[in-house]
Amino acid sequence: MTPRRTVLLGLDGATFAVLDPLMRDGVMPFLADFVSTGVRGDLQSVIPALTPPAWTSLTTGRSPGHHGIFDFFCKESAESHHIRIATARDVHAETIWTLADRHGLRTTALNFPLMFPAPRIRGCVVPGWMPWRQMRLGCHPPELYDRLKQLPGFNARELAMDITPEAKPVQGMRPEEYEEWVVVHIRREQQWGRILQTLMREEPSDLTAIVFDGVDRIQHLCWRYVAPPDEPLSPAGERIRQRCLEYFRELDRMLADVVALAGPEATIVFASDHGFGPQTGTFFANAWLEKQGHLAWADPDVPRASEPEALGIEQLARHSYLLDWEKTRAYAPTPSSNGVHIVRRGPEHPGGVGDDEYEGFRRRLADELRGATDPASGRRIVSRVWTRDEVFDGPFKSLAADLTLELADGGLVSILASDAPFMSRAETSGTHRRNGIFIARGPGLERGLRLAGLSILDVAPLLLHSLGLEIPAEMEGTLPAGAFDPASPHAPTARPARPAAVAHPQAVATPVTEEALFTREDELTLAQRLRDLGYID
Amino acid sequence: MKASRDQIMSDVLGLLRKLSDDWEYTGEITPQTRFFADMGLGSLDVVILGTAVQEHYKQVFPFVELFAQVGQRALPDIPVGEWVDFIHQHLADDGAGAAAARGAR
């Protein structure tokens, strides 16, 4: 089959709960038209519904236990309590980029996580989640960065993950700062759009893909302004909402330009890595584990969090010496993936849980978590608890958390010590949900169709089909044959079935403030720079 | 035979000088130049540099141990020379690193 030009437009964190009203109200007219002439559906994300595992699943067609990415961070080994930042070297499944390259096709891939070090493929790569000073190191081919610098309006600090604006949602902002922050993200998306369009014009690829991540960032901070408001906003709130709408208007214009540039014969796929919803409180998982007698701090006078927004991003990796490893039997290492790890007995952890008691301990701990309540309201804090075996399969599942939590408000845990295991937030913020978006249009695809039951694992097979490539047998997703007009010559010849042995990830709502991962760098003192990774007190 | 300390120093200084043009850092970069106090890098920058070094030498280095050690100091910082010494000390003596280093020059 001849490869068709194929374009994947990633909208990080996009949800129809926000996009539908924006399309209906004329804020996103291009997207509204596109949806009406294409196929749409909710896209179920993986567990955890978090940027690194989700985009990696979308671009490999494999679930986290098979590709090895569960978080922004990974454990040094299954037995270790040390964690480090995950890189492309930790992705253990073939991506659509390298697969296309093996078949002689060219790819442009922009702003995807876990792409550093960049794959040496035919085409161009600018990885996402790179600090601005190192963007040159991430670009492939190496001379690409010098070309980007020549583009009008190029600003590496804003294009990359510059710390100052990204830290603001965590540190707290005044209403006027919210507006400025949204405007920064408008400029940032414009830069990515310019890069994308330049590369599409000057050296078009068979597969072109980009992630616009401002949707996620804006929804984290401005959910109460972006989501259709339940009651009238204050004048200041209304101004913030208008800025947010300006972001979506600009995004819509840019998407229209990109799709026009791709041409009428291209297959265009919009997808998000997860959806979004409100978060109203914070569960201090390690504080709760301490009260239950499963965790002990090395210093009983360890500082206690007093704010519900304090998630402990800056404490990452510091748990290695903040916790008493002779007494700790369970802990939450990161606030990003809502995972609780059980400490297994071994030379490093003499007080850990032995093999003979593991199953019983895990079951009791899961039951205790399900019974955890907010003392103020009496409501349950945890809505679901999954064991590792329930939701992960594959050779890397031993690196996953022993228990993964879904909180009642869909929110994320804090890893900090606290006197109160649960705190309500004064203002609702946004956080991840499992239902993302899928919209596609192109040769052979139905028009105006709503499709149910789509998994994020199904996107890679669809992209490969459009590229004229065979779908590898090991891919867990399947080509969504129902999206095609059966009379079209572009429709798949046989309706593929999902492999019986492969269960889709079951459920999750594990949100994260990704923007918080690179906090405060510009304001940090010398010592704080190392403190940021938790290597010093 | 693994790459010599001088070879590694040359590679690292070359990389940092090239990158520093993008940072608009105008100071001279020498073995005494410190990552944080002098060049103004952040911890994530150093993590990315470490990943680039690993990619270059096709080998994993225990940078986490180095960070932990540096973090205990009164003035936690890493001079370029110490970074190079650490790489040299942990570079595998199997020729892979040497080949990578030769290829990069």
Side-chain angles (χ1 to χ4, degrees):
Chain A
M1 195 173 118
T2 309
R4 281 187 303 281
R5 195 169 189 185
T6 303
V7 179
L8 169 64
L9 297 167
L11 303 178
D12 198 295
T15 169
F16 284 121
V18 167
L19 295 184
D20 275 338
L22 294 179
M23 290 189 280
R24 182 195 61 213
D25 298 342
V27 176
M28 303 190 80
F30 164 75
L31 197 63
D33 177 69
F34 189 95
V35 167
S36 70
T37 54
V39 180
R40 69 170 273 179
D42 281 357
L43 195 64
Q44 289 285 90
S45 190
V46 293
I47 298 172
L50 179 68
T51 290
W55 282 121
T56 305
S57 285
L58 188 145
T59 56
T60 62
R62 312 294 325 259
S63 57
H66 288 275
H67 59 57
I69 301 297
F70 300 90
D71 201 331
F72 288 92
F73 308 89
C74 58
K75 291 171 80 171
E76 294 266 286
S77 67
E79 300 77 25
S80 175
H81 59 254
H82 294 287
I83 59 171
R84 60 177 171 76
I85 292 175
T87 73
R89 293 285 166 259
D90 299 303
V91 178
H92 296 286
E94 181 160 35
T95 61
I96 50 175
W97 332 119
T98 54
L99 219 153
D101 183 70
R102 280 202 294 112
H103 290 83
L105 302 184
R106 181 185 166 82
T107 294
T108 295
L110 305 175
N111 205 26
F112 282 81
L114 280 303
M115 284 198 82
F116 175 76
R120 293 172 185 175
I121 54 174
R122 294 170 180 83
C124 298
V125 176
V126 183
W129 296 93
M130 290 288 290
W132 72 272
R133 291 184 181 90
Q134 317 290 344
M135 281 201 84
R136 175 185 293 279
L137 276 180
C139 289
H140 168 78
E143 60 272 19
L144 176 60
Y145 187 75
D146 286 322
R147 289 176 59 196
L148 303 185
K149 285 177 76 174
Q150 302 308 313
L151 293 177
F154 179 82
N155 180 337
R157 280 177 183 263
E158 286 188 354
L159 181 68
M161 295 293 296
D162 192 18
I163 303 308
T164 306
E166 301 298 339
K168 287 188 173 181
V170 180
Q171 295 174 328
M173 298 167 72
R174 298 189 306 274
E176 58 270 29
E177 288 182 308
Y178 275 52
E179 289 188 63
E180 180 191 337
W181 192 78
V182 175
V183 170
V184 166
H185 281 81
I186 293 174
R187 289 201 300 267
R188 185 163 184 266
E189 304 295 40
Q190 287 170 334
Q191 279 206 74
W192 281 113
R194 267 194 292 275
I195 293 171
L196 175 63
Q197 291 178 57
T198 300
L199 293 175
M200 287 176 78
R201 282 194 197 94
E202 296 181 1
E203 40 187 308
S205 286
D206 302 287
L207 173 60
T208 301
I210 186 169
V211 173
F212 291 106
D213 51 22
V215 180
D216 178 276
R217 307 251 156 68
I218 285 171
Q219 290 177 160
H220 268 300
L221 181 69
C222 303
W223 178 259
R224 58 192 177 278
Y225 307 116
V226 173
D230 295 330
E231 51 193 48
L233 295 168
S234 67
E238 187 56 38
R239 281 199 304 276
I240 296 167
R241 176 168 168 78
Q242 290 306 315
R243 283 293 189 197
C244 294
L245 298 186
E246 189 182 327
Y247 167 86
F248 283 102
R249 276 192 199 94
E250 180 58 27
L251 180 65
D252 192 68
R253 277 193 289 269
M254 206 156 44
L255 296 174
D257 291 345
V258 170
V259 171
L261 200 53
E265 292 305 309
T267 298
I268 309 287
V269 176
F270 287 91
S272 64
D273 52 341
H274 52 75
F276 243 83
Q279 174 173 12
T280 54
T282 299
F283 178 44
F284 290 81
N286 287 336
W288 180 86
L289 287 165
E290 180 191 21
K291 285 188 185 299
Q292 298 297 115
H294 302 310
L295 177 148
W297 302 100
D299 177 1
D301 296 323
V302 63
R304 307 263 158 177
S306 55
E307 300 293 330
E309 288 78 15
L311 304 179
I313 304 291
E314 71 281 5
Q315 298 274 0
L316 284 166
R318 214 185 301 177
H319 66 271
S320 63
Y321 56 86
L322 282 181
L323 294 179
D324 180 340
W325 293 106
E326 293 198 0
K327 297 177 182 168
T328 294
R329 307 187 93 199
Y331 67 107
T334 79
S336 15
S337 52
N338 279 12
V340 173
H341 290 250
I342 294 174
V343 181
R344 305 299 290 269
R345 186 178 300 152
E348 258 196 297
H349 311 114
V353 177
D355 291 347
D356 54 339
E357 55 176 334
Y358 174 76
E359 290 292 340
F361 179 81
R362 186 174 71 171
R363 189 170 51 249
R364 284 195 303 278
L365 181 56
D367 287 342
E368 290 173 20
L369 282 161
R370 289 187 192 99
T373 54
D374 171 10
S377 67
R379 292 187 187 135
R380 288 194 193 278
I381 298 169
V382 179
S383 55
R384 291 188 70 170
V385 180
W386 294 282
T387 66
R388 174 196 290 154
D389 303 313
E390 284 177 313
V391 287
F392 299 117
D393 191 14
F396 300 99
K397 81 170 189 180
S398 64
L399 296 173
D402 294 87
L403 297 172
T404 299
L405 316 182
E406 179 186 67
L407 303 187
D409 73 343
L412 57 139
V413 303
S414 170
I415 60 173
L416 297 176
S418 168
D419 290 328
F422 185 83
M423 293 187 209
S424 294
R425 293 180 173 227
E427 292 185 312
T428 301
S429 57
T431 196
H432 298 190
R433 294 288 189 275
R434 194 175 172 213
N435 283 10
I437 66 153
F438 171 88
I439 314 167
R441 193 173 77 183
L445 289 168
E446 294 272 15
R447 297 168 68 86
L449 178 74
R450 279 182 185 248
L451 208 56
L454 286 168
S455 161
I456 198 166
L457 301 172
D458 299 337
V459 178
L462 177 66
L463 297 172
L464 294 179
H465 175 75
S466 174
L467 289 165
L469 301 180
E470 193 173 328
I471 299 163
E474 64 269 23
M475 277 198 175
E476 296 160 72
T478 57
L479 181 63
F484 290 86
D485 174 358
S488 166
H490 301 291
T493 49
R495 189 185 180 97
R498 193 178 304 284
V502 178
H504 270 192
Q506 295 168 23
V508 80
T510 314
V512 67
T513 50
E514 292 98 334
E515 62 270 18
L517 290 173
F518 311 111
T519 56
R520 308 177 188 174
E521 296 280 324
D522 286 354
E523 299 169 25
L524 290 179
T525 63
L526 181 65
Q528 283 172 318
R529 290 201 169 98
L530 276 174
R531 184 175 293 134
D532 196 36
L533 279 181
Y535 294 112
I536 58 171
D537 282 320
Chain B
M1 195 177 77
K2 75 178 187 182
S4 69
R5 184 183 182 281
D6 287 348
Q7 288 170 342
I8 299 168
M9 179 66 79
S10 173
D11 288 345
V12 169
L13 286 177
L15 172 68
L16 290 172
R17 285 168 183 156
K18 187 173 184 182
L19 289 174
S20 66
D21 287 343
D22 299 330
W23 309 336
E24 297 168 359
Y25 175 75
T26 54
E28 187 184 2
I29 299 178
T30 70
Q32 288 73 44
T33 305
R34 295 164 299 178
F35 280 151
F36 302 136
D38 297 327
M39 286 191 277
L41 299 186
S43 54
L44 187 63
D45 288 309
V46 181
V47 169
I48 296 293
L49 281 175
T51 304
V53 166
Q54 295 186 155
E55 185 73 358
H56 182 70
Y57 291 111
K58 312 292 183 204
Q59 162 185 338
V60 174
F61 291 85
F63 287 122
V64 170
E65 291 176 17
L66 176 64
F67 290 143
Q69 182 194 337
V70 170
Q72 302 304 314
R73 297 175 186 168
L75 279 177
D77 210 333
I78 309 173
V80 172
E82 182 181 355
W83 180 256
V84 168
D85 287 340
F86 183 85
I87 296 167
H88 183 244
Q89 181 191 341
H90 291 90
L91 189 60
D93 195 14
D94 62 0
R102 281 193 299 275
R105 288 197 304 276

